[in-house]
Amino acid sequence: MNLRHVLNLRQILPVAGALALLPTLPALAQSARPPAQIKITNARSVPLDSLEITTTGEQARLVAKLTKPLAPGKSVSLKLNKPSGCSYYLLGKFSDDVESDNDGVDLCKERSLRLTD
């Protein structure tokens, strides 16, 4: 056996490390996409009357909307309609006339949102 053809440990470890990462690549790619639905929790003491989630930018598009008021302490899952990108704008209106708006929410990272005071 020729010693030039035998891989030494310094050559094997980087290759083995790269191969070990291959199964995680699809998971990393999937995390860069928003989920099919997002969980909304009303952590305030008053009902959440309305909530809209839209894309950001000049041509904002509605991707989810609360269909009925959400009682205090309750949660609901909203289906995202054709989400694109990761950054979204949220506008929630409560029964006490308080509005909660968040611009640039990263739904690729946040799978649930908790609305508080």
Side-chain angles (χ1 to χ4, degrees):
M1 180 186 286
N2 188 338
L3 289 178
R4 290 185 304 176
H5 292 85
V6 177
L7 292 174
N8 66 33
L9 195 54
R10 283 183 283 171
Q11 293 170 318
I12 293 172
L13 286 179
V15 172
L19 290 175
L21 289 176
L22 284 179
T24 62
L25 290 178
L28 291 174
Q30 289 176 353
S31 67
R33 294 175 29 213
Q37 60 184 15
I38 188 90
K39 180 180 177 183
I40 305 295
T41 301
N42 180 5
R44 293 201 60 218
S45 60
V46 296
L48 175 63
D49 287 340
S50 67
L51 177 77
E52 293 182 346
I53 301 174
T54 62
T55 58
T56 57
E58 289 183 27
Q59 304 245 345
R61 183 177 53 81
L62 183 68
V63 294
K65 184 176 183 175
L66 188 66
T67 57
K68 61 182 181 178
L70 184 61
K74 298 294 183 181
S75 298
V76 66
S77 290
L78 298 179
K79 183 180 181 229
L80 299 180
N81 182 22
K82 298 180 184 178
S84 63
C86 291
S87 183
Y88 292 84
Y89 174 74
L90 277 72
L91 176 61
K93 295 180 182 179
F94 293 89
S95 64
D96 62 355
D97 295 327
V98 170
E99 288 188 2
S100 174
D101 66 331
N102 293 301
D103 195 12
V105 175
D106 187 344
L107 293 185
C108 295
K109 292 181 182 176
E110 304 296 330
R111 306 290 178 167
S112 64
L113 300 171
R114 183 177 165 94
L115 302 177
T116 62
D117 286 324

